[in-house]
Amino acid sequence: MVPHLVTALKGPLLDLEKKILDATPAIERWFRMEWQEHTPPFYCSVDLRNAGFKLAPVDTNLFPGGFNNLLPEMLPLAVQAAMAAIEKICPDAKNLLMIPEQHTRNTFYLQNIARLSAIMRHAGLNVRLGSLSPDITEPTTVELPDGQQLVIEPLERTSRRLGLKNFDPCSILLNNDLSTGIPPILENLHEQYLLPPLHAGWAVRRKSQHFACYDDVAKKFAKLIDVDQWMLNPYFTKCSGVDFQHSTGEECLADSVDALFKKINKKYREYGIEEKPFIVIKADAGTYGMGVMTVRDAAEVKHLPRKERNRMSVAQEGLPVSDVLLQEGVHTFEKINEAVAEPVVYMIDRYVVGGFYRVHTGRAVDENLNAPGMHFVPLAFEHTALPDVHAKPGAAPPNRFYMYGVVARLALLAASLELERTDPDQEVY
Amino acid sequence: MVPHLVTALKGPLLDLEKKILDATPAIERWFRMEWQEHTPPFYCSVDLRNAGFKLAPVDTNLFPGGFNNLLPEMLPLAVQAAMAAIEKICPDAKNLLMIPEQHTRNTFYLQNIARLSAIMRHAGLNVRLGSLSPDITEPTTVELPDGQQLVIEPLERTSRRLGLKNFDPCSILLNNDLSTGIPPILENLHEQYLLPPLHAGWAVRRKSQHFACYDDVAKKFAKLIDVDQWMLNPYFTKCSGVDFQHSTGEECLADSVDALFKKINKKYREYGIEEKPFIVIKADAGTYGMGVMTVRDAAEVKHLPRKERNRMSVAQEGLPVSDVLLQEGVHTFEKINEAVAEPVVYMIDRYVVGGFYRVHTGRAVDENLNAPGMHFVPLAFEHTALPDVHAKPGAAPPNRFYMYGVVARLALLAASLELERTDPDQEVY
């Protein structure tokens, strides 16, 4: 299970790795101070792309699935982080209600839920599962491939609180990204902690908002360690009112793509990068890699084939797309057994608790890997040990994983700012 | 490096393991609530003895060496725990002064210091080392076997603060157990955190005080999970004014040994235990396994051979022994390659961060293993994964390690009570 990784770290990123390793105490202190001001979301996973000359987060998920892809031996880190989180939120917490996604037949996803339940149980909580699905009208047992069982129960709502039959939780952990909107049953809860809050769901979240916050974070961090923030931060812009079906908003798209390519080309020239730049167009809301398109030339968006238009016009859960994010593409130059790979970093509270590689044998270095056919390779232990400042730059897996953990935490911090700025009750801050 | 362990868990301990696993959420919540009331020492290692029918801490070290014996891959747990600890103590901490033991030529010990420095650096602190030794008059570089270097510097004291040249630390981490007394240079510091506090040193600490606190903790915990507290708690008593050289206090010793054996025998009969009971006599202050003796019969203490008298009359650093602790001996029935082994559990703040086995090929199951000739075998990953409630009792290494971690944390909690009760400034509580 130890991934054999081929990474072509090039000049600028070797320099970044060295700067990050040398500045470790300053970086960790900086995070510590930032977390005094900002509250991290309960958990988070971040997809990174490592282009050798550039390293950046491309997706920040506030309802991470995939905990089952972490190595079991690394779970004590997750438990410890969950303990620290609970202690801050609700020190006398006893019961936790977890609300999973509704597609209960996906056993991979259910293994994620089983794993999360185990983590929360070991952090000192009685965990039970409640479903938003109207099909769950009584406790329903689901068998998992490894012989474990999950019991999913119908939710019970009183005027003030949400729970299950004979189960009144102090906290509610959402593992459901609310793409279809905020269910009324979750609204107006009193004295119950909803983790993460409702506005972390895709009913409210926008990628453009997240990356605007990431801009602020990356700028500050780049100054701290004295690098060009472009090393960590892809350019992006946003187009509103796009209708792919009816070719509305193509003008804005083409102009924006054009302007973005100009900025990217300038940077590529500055650093002598000979790769072909590309732009990724994504729905501004939603996840799961739906509604994502790679563009290598501005002309492409003006002559989209019908199939591509159809594909881009709906995001997750069949919701129509009208706002899109245009983001500088970051190649992924990591490979496992010749297949293109990108690291995914998992965090609970402010702590990195593990990660894995998302691998796709059928995709190219400038394509989205979050697509059917992908598989996962856990990061081996050797990757998660303490960095070795004395190792040759680019040669030590723990050093690279430390750098990944730092950049993933920048995205985590951006998510914290994002949740502050989009909080409907922000007057309470 | 994976230890091949032979453990003979017997009836009562299998039952204890099962009760501990079943009660995990309640146990973790209980610890969480206790840590709301009591502050754990910064770090701690606990020696456990597993007799198959009984599991108990026998030594609680508040200045743990041996961090170098933990597997490197487990260190992220230590870093995460250190981060959580620092955040509570001094969130804007930048500089940490570490004060090691004075025997600077012991490379094993220095590797421990190097490891601790790395942990604290990755937790976001600039770490430098200051020595209490008068021989260190200028920065002195020490080479370690693995090629690392440590620089040990002379301390610089102002009227209010302690530091090094051009280095004003927010916190001072003691890895020196102060057996020879409290150095004046460490006294009356202002606005600097001394971790752990001075009264955690052996100049003030007494084992009898610790085990009195452990009594309270074990009683409460045993009630929580509904077991006989004797499963976790060896009987003990104390004799004062003992002078082994001049045979003073032998009466008290013999009487106490007699009374202890009566209590132990009663319990052995109750649980049908056929092993031969024994009592361990130790100096009430001091560590390193010095001044420790195994007694299998009350008559033994009345006719101690001259050699044994000499050995028992001095503890660490040649200090005379006058108060002794008499403790019910706990056999260790764990073996690695036929050699007797006992687990040592490491904690930072309230978190278990790893462990190893202390192994001695020349000692018996009822003898002290902390003696020249011992070696260390790290606990493998498989031991530190999450417990598996569904595994056959006694069969799953993670389950055993979880039980060890729980009992070690009981000793940690006892140390917290002990530090509260012995705090010279306790009016501030």
Side-chain angles (χ1 to χ4, degrees):
Chain A
M1 289 302 275
V2 179
H4 179 67
L5 271 171
V6 180
T7 322
L9 283 188
K10 298 184 185 177
L13 212 53
L14 287 181
D15 181 51
L16 179 68
E17 185 183 294
K18 194 176 174 332
K19 282 193 165 153
I20 284 180
L21 286 178
D22 288 344
T24 299
I27 291 170
E28 295 303 332
R29 178 171 185 261
W30 180 78
F31 274 121
R32 200 195 309 134
M33 306 294 281
E34 291 290 328
W35 298 130
Q36 295 291 312
E37 309 258 326
H38 308 289
T39 304
F42 183 79
Y43 51 13
C44 180
S45 70
V46 173
D47 295 0
L48 299 174
R49 303 272 291 199
N50 177 354
F53 54 86
K54 178 162 190 160
L55 173 66
V58 293
D59 194 15
T60 303
N61 189 342
L62 298 182
F63 303 90
F67 275 94
N68 50 315
N69 294 321
L70 303 179
L71 279 182
E73 290 82 354
M74 298 307 295
L75 292 184
L77 266 179
V79 171
Q80 210 185 74
M83 283 174 165
I86 293 159
E87 200 195 60
K88 279 187 307 179
I89 297 162
C90 180
D92 65 347
K94 196 172 184 174
N95 294 333
L96 178 82
L97 171 63
M98 199 149 88
I99 301 185
E101 296 285 350
Q102 277 152 262
H103 42 78
T104 52
R105 281 187 223 112
N106 178 339
T107 55
F108 289 110
Y109 177 73
L110 290 172
Q111 283 171 322
N112 165 64
I113 291 297
R115 187 55 79 70
L116 265 174
S117 302
I119 291 169
M120 301 311 289
R121 180 177 188 273
H122 284 286
L125 293 161
N126 300 311
V127 183
R128 282 166 67 177
L129 307 176
S131 179
L132 289 171
S133 165
D135 302 339
I136 302 287
T137 52
E138 54 182 299
T140 306
T141 303
V142 192
E143 305 277 341
L144 298 187
D146 64 355
Q148 283 187 83
Q149 290 187 332
L150 290 180
V151 179
I152 301 170
E153 302 178 60
L155 294 172
E156 279 192 5
R157 172 73 201 239
T158 63
S159 64
R160 298 174 66 84
R161 293 174 75 88
L162 181 65
L164 305 174
K165 195 170 183 185
N166 303 321
F167 190 73
D168 182 42
C170 150
S171 306
I172 299 163
L173 183 62
L174 289 175
N175 197 253
N176 181 313
D177 69 11
L178 310 179
S179 302
T180 50
I182 296 174
I185 200 171
L186 297 179
E187 287 182 310
N188 305 313
L189 296 174
H190 292 277
E191 292 165 7
Q192 275 184 321
Y193 296 89
L194 202 53
L195 305 170
L198 288 178
H199 64 285
W202 281 118
V204 177
R205 262 193 103 192
R206 293 297 173 263
K207 295 190 180 85
S208 53
Q209 176 81 44
H210 176 72
F211 285 105
C213 294
Y214 185 75
D215 260 356
D216 295 350
V217 172
K219 194 174 166 185
K220 214 168 157 184
F221 179 78
K223 200 175 163 188
L224 174 76
I225 61 162
D226 188 28
V227 294
D228 179 352
Q229 69 149 314
W230 180 75
M231 291 294 146
L232 304 158
N233 193 8
Y235 290 123
F236 77 96
T237 188
K238 182 189 156 178
C239 284
S240 300
V242 176
D243 180 344
F244 285 97
Q245 293 283 19
H246 303 95
S247 306
T248 314
E250 276 185 351
E251 203 101 332
C252 168
L253 272 183
D255 290 352
S256 301
V257 164
D258 216 44
L260 262 186
F261 269 126
K262 282 201 179 105
K263 288 168 77 177
I264 301 168
N265 284 333
K266 201 176 153 213
K267 279 291 179 189
Y268 273 41
R269 277 195 304 274
E270 181 183 339
Y271 289 103
I273 295 158
E274 289 168 11
E275 314 299 334
K276 190 169 171 50
F278 65 103
I279 286 168
V280 177
I281 302 180
K282 332 181 192 187
D284 203 16
T287 178
Y288 287 113
M290 295 179 79
V292 178
M293 181 171 80
T294 295
V295 173
R296 292 168 194 86
D297 193 295
E300 280 181 59
V301 292
K302 287 198 189 141
H303 311 284
L304 282 181
R306 169 59 45 196
K307 198 179 140 202
E308 196 74 349
R309 288 184 193 281
N310 289 343
R311 204 177 60 77
M312 286 302 291
S313 60
V314 286
Q316 193 183 359
E317 310 273 355
L319 293 179
V321 171
S322 77
D323 291 356
V324 296
L325 180 81
L326 293 82
Q327 195 174 36
E328 175 193 344
V330 182
H331 306 78
T332 179
F333 286 139
E334 293 204 283
K335 286 190 179 181
I336 295 179
N337 301 331
E338 296 303 302
V340 177
E342 65 187 15
V344 186
V345 176
Y346 276 67
M347 288 157 288
I348 291 181
D349 197 77
R350 85 215 83 154
Y351 304 107
V352 173
V353 300
F356 54 77
Y357 281 91
R358 177 184 287 121
V359 184
H360 205 303
T361 51
R363 295 267 166 146
V365 295
D366 59 357
E367 287 184 310
N368 173 29
L369 305 187
N370 193 349
M374 64 183 167
H375 68 277
F376 305 102
V377 179
L379 279 159
F381 302 119
E382 65 190 84
H383 291 73
T384 54
L386 290 196
D388 174 4
V389 225
H390 306 293
K392 216 176 125 221
N399 292 0
R400 193 166 49 214
F401 187 65
Y402 178 66
M403 180 166 68
Y404 290 167
V406 168
V407 177
R409 283 184 287 164
L410 297 179
L412 178 73
L413 185 53
S416 314
L417 298 180
E418 180 194 349
L419 291 179
E420 279 169 26
R421 291 181 194 168
T422 56
D423 191 336
D425 302 320
Q426 55 183 305
E427 62 273 23
V428 302
Y429 282 97
Chain B
M1 288 303 275
V2 179
H4 179 68
L5 271 171
V6 180
T7 321
L9 284 187
K10 298 186 182 176
L13 212 53
L14 287 181
D15 181 50
L16 180 67
E17 185 183 294
K18 193 177 176 328
K19 281 194 165 155
I20 284 181
L21 286 177
D22 288 345
T24 299
I27 291 170
E28 295 303 332
R29 178 172 185 260
W30 180 78
F31 275 121
R32 199 196 310 134
M33 306 294 280
E34 290 291 327
W35 299 130
Q36 296 291 313
E37 309 258 325
H38 308 289
T39 304
F42 184 80
Y43 51 13
C44 179
S45 70
V46 174
D47 296 359
L48 298 175
R49 304 271 293 199
N50 177 354
F53 54 85
K54 176 161 191 158
L55 172 66
V58 293
D59 194 14
T60 304
N61 190 342
L62 298 182
F63 303 90
F67 275 94
N68 50 314
N69 294 321
L70 304 179
L71 279 182
E73 290 82 355
M74 297 307 295
L75 293 183
L77 266 179
V79 171
Q80 206 184 77
M83 283 175 165
I86 294 160
E87 200 194 59
K88 278 187 306 178
I89 297 162
C90 180
D92 64 348
K94 196 171 184 174
N95 294 332
L96 179 81
L97 171 63
M98 199 150 88
I99 301 185
E101 297 285 352
Q102 277 152 262
H103 42 78
T104 52
R105 282 188 222 110
N106 179 339
T107 54
F108 289 109
Y109 177 71
L110 289 172
Q111 284 172 321
N112 164 63
I113 292 297
R115 187 55 79 70
L116 265 174
S117 302
I119 291 168
M120 301 312 287
R121 181 177 188 273
H122 284 285
L125 293 162
N126 299 309
V127 182
R128 282 167 66 179
L129 308 175
S131 178
L132 288 170
S133 166
D135 301 339
I136 301 288
T137 54
E138 55 184 297
T140 305
T141 303
V142 192
E143 304 277 341
L144 298 186
D146 64 356
Q148 283 188 82
Q149 290 188 331
L150 289 180
V151 180
I152 300 170
E153 301 178 60
L155 294 172
E156 278 192 6
R157 172 73 201 240
T158 63
S159 63
R160 297 174 67 84
R161 293 173 76 87
L162 181 65
L164 304 174
K165 197 172 179 182
N166 303 322
F167 189 74
D168 183 43
C170 149
S171 307
I172 299 164
L173 183 62
L174 289 174
N175 197 254
N176 181 314
D177 68 12
L178 309 178
S179 301
T180 52
I182 295 174
I185 200 171
L186 296 180
E187 287 182 310
N188 303 313
L189 295 174
H190 292 278
E191 291 165 7
Q192 276 184 318
Y193 296 89
L194 202 55
L195 306 169
L198 288 177
H199 65 285
W202 282 117
V204 177
R205 262 193 102 191
R206 294 295 173 267
K207 294 190 180 86
S208 53
Q209 176 80 45
H210 176 73
F211 285 106
C213 294
Y214 185 76
D215 260 357
D216 295 349
V217 172
K219 193 174 167 185
K220 213 166 158 185
F221 179 79
K223 199 175 164 190
L224 174 76
I225 62 162
D226 187 29
V227 295
D228 180 351
Q229 68 149 314
W230 181 76
M231 291 295 149
L232 304 158
N233 192 9
Y235 290 123
F236 78 95
T237 188
K238 181 189 157 177
C239 284
S240 301
V242 176
D243 179 344
F244 284 98
Q245 292 284 17
H246 303 95
S247 304
T248 316
E250 276 186 350
E251 204 102 329
C252 168
L253 272 183
D255 290 353
S256 301
V257 165
D258 217 45
L260 263 186
F261 269 125
K262 281 201 179 108
K263 287 167 79 177
I264 301 167
N265 285 330
K266 199 176 156 215
K267 279 291 178 188
Y268 274 41
R269 278 195 305 275
E270 182 183 338
Y271 290 103
I273 294 159
E274 288 168 12
E275 313 299 334
K276 188 167 172 50
F278 65 104
I279 285 168
V280 177
I281 302 181
K282 332 180 190 187
D284 202 16
T287 177
Y288 287 113
M290 295 179 81
V292 177
M293 184 171 80
T294 295
V295 174
R296 293 169 193 84
D297 194 293
E300 280 181 59
V301 292
K302 286 195 190 146
H303 309 286
L304 282 182
R306 170 56 47 194
K307 200 180 139 201
E308 196 75 349
R309 286 183 194 280
N310 288 343
R311 205 177 60 78
M312 285 301 291
S313 59
V314 287
Q316 194 183 359
E317 311 272 356
L319 293 179
V321 171
S322 78
D323 290 356
V324 296
L325 180 82
L326 293 83
Q327 194 173 39
E328 175 192 344
V330 182
H331 305 77
T332 179
F333 286 139
E334 292 204 283
K335 285 189 179 182
I336 295 179
N337 302 329
E338 295 303 303
V340 176
E342 66 187 14
V344 186
V345 177
Y346 277 67
M347 288 156 289
I348 291 181
D349 197 77
R350 85 215 83 150
Y351 304 106
V352 173
V353 300
F356 53 79
Y357 280 92
R358 177 184 287 121
V359 184
H360 205 303
T361 51
R363 295 266 166 145
V365 295
D366 59 357
E367 286 184 310
N368 173 28
L369 306 187
N370 193 350
M374 63 183 169
H375 68 278
F376 305 102
V377 179
L379 280 159
F381 301 119
E382 64 190 82
H383 290 73
T384 55
L386 290 196
D388 174 5
V389 225
H390 306 293
K392 217 176 123 218
N399 291 0
R400 194 166 51 212
F401 188 65
Y402 178 67
M403 179 165 70
Y404 290 166
V406 168
V407 177
R409 282 183 287 164
L410 297 179
L412 178 74
L413 184 54
S416 314
L417 298 180
E418 180 194 350
L419 291 180
E420 278 169 28
R421 290 179 195 172
T422 56
D423 190 338
D425 302 319
Q426 56 182 303
E427 62 273 23
V428 303
Y429 282 98

